[in-house]
């Protein structure tokens, strides 16, 4: 949910709030899409997810737009649902996400009072490949 903050001021407020509720030495873990890769490659979509539910099959699509001269990325979320009778419905919404490349996160986490900041590419602890990994896991300690 971190990309839903309102720009740089919102990020700083959120990280300040995080820091205010954890004791020194506490671990902060964040998991989000790799915005560095998104901003570099300007990929337009993320692979769809398909789920079978009690109400039918649901297909989740994300289409991405990069407004020129903006500090955010626009995500359009499309959900296609096929009911048991075969009828399809579509739900769509767009949400601006504050662009959070890992370099910005490093600077702002340090400014908010976190250190030992690591960027990982998976839950096994592999170092982030900013050019290739879909997600980024950020681990930092409260100072």
């Amino acid at each position: 949910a971190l990309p839903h903050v309102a720009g740089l001021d919102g990020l700083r407020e959120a990280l300040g709030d995080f820091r205010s509720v954890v004791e020194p030495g506490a671990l902060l873990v964040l998991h989000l899409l790799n915005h560095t890769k998104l901003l570099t490659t300007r990929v337009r979509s993320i692979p769809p997810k398909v789920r079978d539910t009690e109400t039918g099959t649901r297909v989740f699509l994300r289409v991405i737009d990069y407004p020129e001269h903006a500090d955010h990325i626009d995500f359009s979320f499309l959900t296609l649902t096929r009911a048991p009778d075969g009828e399809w419905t579509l739900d769509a919404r767009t949400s601006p996400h504050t662009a959070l490349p890992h370099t910005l996160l490093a600077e702002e986490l340090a400014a908010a009072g976190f250190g030992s900041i690591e960027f990982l590419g998976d839950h096994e602890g592999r170092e982030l490949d900013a050019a290739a990994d879909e997600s980024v896991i950020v681990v930092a300690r409260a100072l």
Side-chain angles (χ1 to χ4, degrees):
L2 191 60
H4 291 279
V5 298
L8 186 55
D9 289 340
L11 175 63
R12 289 175 175 158
E13 182 179 348
L15 295 178
D17 287 347
F18 293 167
R19 181 59 192 92
S20 73
V21 297
V22 296
E23 295 182 16
L27 204 57
L28 173 72
V29 179
L30 306 170
H31 184 181
L32 58 151
L33 286 174
N34 179 359
H35 285 196
T36 301
K37 178 184 174 185
L38 294 178
L39 293 166
T40 302
T41 64
R42 297 203 177 272
V43 63
R44 292 298 315 280
S45 66
I46 294 173
K49 304 288 184 200
V50 179
R51 303 281 186 265
D52 290 317
T53 70
E54 291 179 11
T55 59
T57 300
R58 301 183 86 185
V59 180
F60 301 96
L61 304 168
R62 291 175 281 183
V63 178
I64 308 167
D65 292 303
Y66 302 88
E68 198 168 330
H69 308 297
D71 65 350
H72 67 277
I73 303 167
D74 286 332
F75 280 80
S76 293
F77 299 95
L78 307 163
T79 304
L80 296 158
T81 304
R82 184 178 61 199
D85 66 4
E87 189 73 25
W88 285 94
T89 58
L90 170 67
D91 180 51
R93 66 182 174 82
T94 298
S95 175
H97 287 199
T98 298
L100 300 174
H102 74 284
T103 52
L104 175 67
L105 285 171
E107 292 171 11
E108 295 303 326
L109 281 163
F114 290 92
S116 302
I117 303 163
E118 294 180 77
F119 295 93
L120 308 173
D122 63 21
H123 290 284
E124 303 300 317
R126 181 180 48 76
E127 186 176 337
L128 175 68
D129 179 347
D133 290 330
E134 182 176 312
S135 295
V136 60
I137 299 163
V138 185
V139 181
R141 287 215 179 266
L143 299 175

